[in-house]
């Protein structure tokens, strides 16, 4: 596990881990369309709601298109210097799409100075973590919504694992066990880890502190408690108020640092958090000779 000092150096420049998010930006590559679980708040028509703002459907890029896009963005005089991180966050689960690995390998070869970042539901983390480490993954986000499989079963409709379809408690048990096993291994490897938790009032409120305690012990650096955006099977849930969200974050900040600047970005977001620069890149491209 990395020491606090090593971790502080590692997160320099990463806008989602406490690096200055007014100066440092990230570029998401939407290369991962397929998902292997069904979160109750996911409509499947949109980007992964664990890391992305629902309601915006991305155009899926092939790894070849993605590297072309990175070249274009890095060549932009306005946006290029801001980008410090390349993230793959959907629109499905990155680890369930081989294109994720292909894309990261190309980025690593051509832009070794950029930090590679991945966000996953964690189902395939135990079998993928060594591969991610070898590719040089810098930072990992796992969305953990429950410690107790009974609670998880109210959030996850199904889990498809190694070709088999599991529902209810069976699926939830596999998912949660794999999330913690993968996190444990990631901590041992010294990766920079963030845990996202979708606060779903009336369902997982009582789980938040248990998640915080457990992931902190495994080496997570920061927690990002996000408000549910109710839709699909969980459309009836009332989202938390800003006051309630702030209260829950405060109650857990002594256990693990809380990231409060998340903007639930699109899977193809580019630029500073909360300030998408896709248009700037298009304008740069138009004004190039
Ligand atoms: Fe992207 Fe996520 Fe990496 Fe950041 S976003 S893959 S950790 S580079 Fe950041 Fe956006 Fe919130 Fe994610 S603000 S949704 S926490
Ligand atoms: Fe939807 Fe993401 Fe959950 Fe998959 S992991 S079901 S894409 S919210």
């Amino acid at each position: 596990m990395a020491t606090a000092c090593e971790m502080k150096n590692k997160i320099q420049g990463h806008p989602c881990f406490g690096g200055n998010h007014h100066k440092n930006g990230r570029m998401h590559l939407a290369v991962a369309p397929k998902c292997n679980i069904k979160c109750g708040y996911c409509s499947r028509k949109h980007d992964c709601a664990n890391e992305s703002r629902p309601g915006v459907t991305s155009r899926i890029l092939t790894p070849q298109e993605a590297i072309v896009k990175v070249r274009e963005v890095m060549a932009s005089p306005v946006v290029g210097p801001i980008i410090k991180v390349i993230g793959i966050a959907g629109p499905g689960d990155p680890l369930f799409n081989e294109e994720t690995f292909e894309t990261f390998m190309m980025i690593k070869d051509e832009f070794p100075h950029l930090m590679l970042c991945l966000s996953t539901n964690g189902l395939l983390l135990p079998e993928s973590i060594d591969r991610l480490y070898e590719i040089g993954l810098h930072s990992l986000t796992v969305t953990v919504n429950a410690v107790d499989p009974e609670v998880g079963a109210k959030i996850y409709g199904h889990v498809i694992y190694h070709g088999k379809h599991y529902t209810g408690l069976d699926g939830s048990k596999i998912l949660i066990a794999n999330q913690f096993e993968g996190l444990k291994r990631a901590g041992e490897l010294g990766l920079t880890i963030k845990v996202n938790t979708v606060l779903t009032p009336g369902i997982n409120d009582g789980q938040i502190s248990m998640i915080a305690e457990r992931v902190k012990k495994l080496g997570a650096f920061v927690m990002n408690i996000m408000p549910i955006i109710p839709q699909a099977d969980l459309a009836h849930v009332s989202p938390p108020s800003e006051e309630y969200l702030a209260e829950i974050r405060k109650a857990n900040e002594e256990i693990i640092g809380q990231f409060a600047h998340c903007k639930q970005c699109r899977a193809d977001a580019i630029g500073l958090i909360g300030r998408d620069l896709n248009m700037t890149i298009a304008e740069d491209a138009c004004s190039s000779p």
Side-chain angles (χ1 to χ4, degrees), residues 63-95:
Q64 290 69 27
E65 287 170 331
I67 188 82
V68 169
K69 182 91 182 161
V70 176
R71 284 182 199 134
E72 190 185 312
V73 168
M74 294 314 288
S76 156
V78 180
V79 187
I82 297 171
I83 302 297
K84 304 293 189 310
V85 179
I86 299 290
I88 300 187
D93 184 63
L95 297 181

Side-chain angles (χ1 to χ4, degrees), residues 14-17 26-28 50-53 85-89 117-119 139-141 194 196 224 226 259 261-266 273-274:
H14 197 311
C16 312
F17 282 79
R26 46 80 189 99
M27 173 175 187
H28 281 173
N50 287 336
E51 183 74 5
S52 314
R53 176 163 56 97
V85 179
I86 299 290
I88 300 187
C117 186
L118 176 127
S119 176
S139 35
L140 171 74
T141 295
K194 169 160 67 62
N196 282 357
N224 172 20
M226 309 155 83
F259 178 65
H261 308 291
C262 178
K263 293 285 184 251
Q264 292 172 279
C265 319
R266 300 158 49 128
I273 292 175

Side-chain angles (χ1 to χ4, degrees), residues 23-45:
K23 264 175 54 190
N24 303 298
R26 46 80 189 99
M27 173 175 187
H28 281 173
L29 298 173
V31 295
K34 293 182 290 168
C35 191
N36 45 8
I37 69 171
K38 171 76 176 79
C39 301
Y41 45 72
C42 177
S43 77
R44 296 271 183 165
K45 290 189 197 105

